[in-house]
Amino acid sequence: MAAAAARDALLDELRALMAAHSPPLHALVVPSEDAHQSEYVSERDKRRQFISGFTGSAGLALITMKEALLWTDGRYFLQAEQQLSDRWKLMRMGEDSPVEAWIADNLSDEAVVGINPWCISVDTAQRYEHAFSKKHQTLFQLSSDLVDEIWKDRPSAKALPVFVQPVEYAGRTVTEKLKELREKLLHEKARGIIIAALDEVAWLYNIRGDDVHYSPVVHSYSIVTLHSAFFYVDKRKVSVENYMTENGIDIKDYNMVQSDASLLASGQLKGSAVSGSSYGENDMNENSKVWIDSNSCCLALYSKLDQDQVLMLQSPIALPKAVKNPVELDGLRKAHIRDGAAVVQYLAWLDNQMQENYGASGYFSEAKGSQKKEHMEVKLTEVTVSDKLEGFRASKEHFKGLSFPTISSVGPNAAVIHYSPEANSCAELDADKIYLCDSGAQYLDGTTDITRTVHFGKPSEHEKSCYTAVLKGHIALDSAVFPNGTTGHALDILARTPLWRSGLDYRHGTGHGIGSYLNVHEGPHLISFRPSARNVPLQASMTVTDEPGYYEDGSFGIRLENVLIVKEANTNYNFGDKGYLAFEHITWAPYQTKLIDTTLLTPAEIEWVNAYHAECRKILQLYLNEQEKEWLRKATEPIAVSC
């Protein structure tokens, strides 16, 4: 309660600053994003979390002189309800008015709305300005962030080192990537491009860092022209000067990107000449546009450009990064095998612990009854068991850390879609409740993301039927064959149809791209009901997750997730000469057959589970000890096909 009261007092401080500002602010927008429009941000960039108390990765706060509102999506509705104080109102994305519409409808004519121009994308700013125009409201670019002014113990910036991602894992050299990028600049008649997304800078220059928990990126920008390449970074982090020089990249101070954007716009930005460059001055004169991606470039940089000469298109790096090269695909497959072994070791360990300490019937048996030991040396909680899982992963080759905070959730907590357990408040494990674990890791050769849902007691028939519906959707998407040009929006229905038949659904997307030792959530493609999923067709060699779910508030949650690689399909025919695509699953860990109602599966679905389990056993046993092998053998025994 004291923490909530202190946070509420911050609202009063913020409103005092808003009133004293010139011009006075009628509202202040506090987004989740940093200056690179990142999903996961460093501790010092968590302004929305600081002011609201809501810890989810997605959301936006709006503070007016009378109200405080927080918008978030369906993954976080329950979490936000639990974390927001009475002074905050939860706005549900997809159900309530978008923030710009709410401002236009609820604030006065000529109201002034403050924003940190570094933390809002060009696309979002233009959407706001369009909505505000009907009442002559103003989106005002603040010279300093007002939240920072009241955040007295804001974490300081750390000078963590930049390191090189070797070509043996990256698969392509920086020279090759820059050559391809410059060809795209010429094609679009652009003299240069501003790259703001952290994973795009990291991918382009084959570098990684530790500036953001779970994402191996460096706080940096890149500007690439036909003749030069620039890397804007805190120079204290850089000990790879020779590497940069060899690749024709100039290292500049992080804060110089804004002034250099102006120089780029006027054609005056000069750097080290590209060795062997075939582009002359005529190319520079003929190509006068500056390319930005309006989803990742911030308003502060856009404001420095000649807006008549700005080329606003999806980043030319987005697709090459999403379509993995053969080396990256090989690394991802290997990383997922090691990761699957860690998950199996964890499940076998947890099964044993639940039986020994809680008298649970265990992973395989449905016998009723459980009896918790009175004197346990170590209590099993959502946090202590997830720490054990991290330990199994850490023992694997090339492990670099987790890819996101582990979602280790029991019973009602599993219904909180992106639940994040805290050591001082998390639940103890319960043999009579569902346990959902969504986790992943960063390895030098790939990024992983897997979800399994299990029950160590006797699941109810309702829980079984829900689990089976989720599994049926999971299998349907995995088994899909579809023509080139198909988007994830079209495929999303496959994972939901088995749930819809029972009047059930889930409030999150079905799949996201995944990086190669980069961000665990990677675009530009996705599998989702959201309109943005229509924008980018799936292509061979893309990676995407398959993760349908079902969540019953206050009771349980179910999700199953594998990572898939899009591949060319071997079809008998080729109607329309389009070419057809299918999926290859690269995640390996068993599904709990105890939770499956086999009467609801078709023979083909049972055959899919049995084939997956047989392959799982074959692939993972090399990484397991004898006890773990025996557990996996039992977990992957074939399901009998009902007559």
Side-chain angles (χ1 to χ4, degrees), residues 141-270:
Q141 298 185 41
L142 298 168
S143 57
S144 63
D145 197 299
L146 298 190
V147 173
D148 292 352
E149 294 186 31
I150 63 169
W151 193 353
K152 304 304 182 189
D153 57 350
R154 183 183 176 215
S156 58
K158 297 179 180 178
L160 300 170
V162 175
F163 48 91
V164 175
Q165 175 72 340
V167 176
E168 65 183 282
Y169 302 121
R172 296 181 66 199
T173 66
V174 177
T175 300
E176 291 171 323
K177 293 178 180 181
L178 285 172
K179 183 176 183 292
E180 182 181 275
L181 176 56
R182 290 187 171 109
E183 287 169 355
K184 291 175 181 175
L185 293 178
L186 274 176
H187 183 267
E188 296 295 341
K189 298 191 183 307
R191 65 159 52 102
I193 181 170
I194 301 172
I195 301 161
L198 299 181
D199 63 331
E200 292 189 359
V201 178
W203 181 89
L204 179 65
Y205 290 161
N206 284 349
I207 49 126
R208 301 292 188 268
D210 292 309
D211 285 354
V212 179
H213 289 319
Y214 314 110
S215 301
V217 294
V218 182
H219 282 139
S220 57
Y221 293 93
S222 169
I223 292 179
V224 177
T225 72
L226 296 175
H227 297 91
S228 304
F230 302 91
F231 180 46
Y232 299 88
V233 65
D234 181 341
K235 290 186 177 180
R236 295 176 300 166
K237 301 176 182 179
V238 181
S239 59
V240 291
E241 291 91 345
N242 290 342
Y243 168 82
M244 291 293 176
T245 301
E246 289 165 5
N247 285 288
I249 301 165
D250 287 335
I251 303 170
K252 304 193 79 170
D253 190 77
Y254 180 80
N255 295 322
M256 288 186 68
V257 67
Q258 196 172 29
S259 58
D260 277 10
S262 297
L263 292 175
L264 175 65
S266 61
Q268 298 177 64
L269 182 60
K270 306 293 182 186

Side-chain angles (χ1 to χ4, degrees), residues 353-579:
Q353 292 293 307
M354 291 301 293
Q355 291 182 62
E356 283 194 359
N357 293 308
Y358 293 84
S361 51
Y363 187 90
F364 303 107
S365 171
E366 288 191 65
K368 281 188 175 181
S370 61
Q371 186 63 48
K372 179 179 169 183
K373 273 188 181 178
E374 289 187 18
H375 303 290
M376 280 192 297
E377 289 184 15
V378 179
K379 186 167 71 171
L380 298 181
T381 71
E382 293 165 330
V383 167
T384 61
V385 297
S386 68
D387 288 346
K388 186 70 176 180
L389 173 56
E390 183 175 355
F392 283 119
R393 283 191 163 111
S395 70
K396 301 294 178 276
E397 186 181 19
H398 299 324
F399 176 80
K400 299 295 288 183
L402 301 182
S403 56
F404 59 95
T406 298
I407 301 168
S408 173
S409 51
V410 176
N413 291 340
V416 181
I417 296 170
H418 266 213
Y419 173 75
S420 184
E422 300 289 341
N424 59 356
S425 60
C426 68
E428 186 176 359
L429 264 63
D430 189 327
D432 298 316
K433 293 176 182 174
I434 270 179
Y435 173 65
L436 184 157
C437 185
D438 184 346
S439 64
Q442 296 285 4
Y443 301 92
L444 277 175
D445 51 353
T447 302
T448 69
D449 188 358
I450 174 175
T451 309
R452 290 297 183 263
T453 303
V454 297
H455 199 302
F456 293 103
K458 183 173 177 58
S460 69
E461 292 306 310
H462 177 57
E463 288 170 332
K464 283 185 174 184
S465 66
C466 292
Y467 180 95
T468 308
V470 171
L471 176 62
K472 286 169 75 72
H474 180 75
I475 294 170
L477 180 57
D478 178 281
S479 307
V481 178
F482 49 95
N484 270 302
T486 301
T487 68
H489 192 273
L491 296 178
D492 183 74
I493 190 175
L494 296 175
R496 296 181 192 272
T497 298
L499 287 155
W500 287 352
R501 289 195 182 106
S502 298
L504 306 178
D505 205 350
Y506 51 97
R507 286 192 177 101
H508 58 76
T510 300
H512 56 81
I514 191 164
S516 177
Y517 185 33
L518 268 177
N519 291 354
V520 72
H521 292 163
E522 180 178 85
H525 60 292
L526 66 161
I527 299 175
S528 177
F529 57 91
R530 294 187 176 89
S532 56
R534 297 191 185 106
N535 296 342
V536 180
L538 297 181
Q539 295 182 31
S541 298
M542 281 181 168
T543 51
V544 69
T545 59
D546 171 7
E547 50 178 313
Y550 173 65
Y551 312 90
E552 206 153 281
D553 294 357
S555 185
F556 64 87
I558 295 163
R559 184 162 64 254
L560 297 172
E561 177 183 18
N562 285 350
V563 172
L564 312 175
I565 295 172
V566 184
K567 65 178 183 178
E568 293 182 3
N570 183 20
T571 56
N572 292 331
Y573 306 100
N574 185 18
F575 183 82
D577 290 325
K578 291 180 175 181

Side-chain angles (χ1 to χ4, degrees), residues 310-347:
V310 172
L311 176 68
M312 281 199 282
L313 288 176
Q314 180 185 87
S315 168
I317 293 171
L319 272 178
K321 179 166 58 66
V323 178
K324 304 296 185 285
N325 65 56
V327 171
E328 290 174 319
L329 291 176
D330 183 58
L332 280 161
R333 290 186 183 100
K334 290 175 178 175
H336 279 81
I337 290 171
R338 297 193 303 274
D339 199 66
V343 172
V344 166
Q345 289 174 312
Y346 171 62
L347 290 173

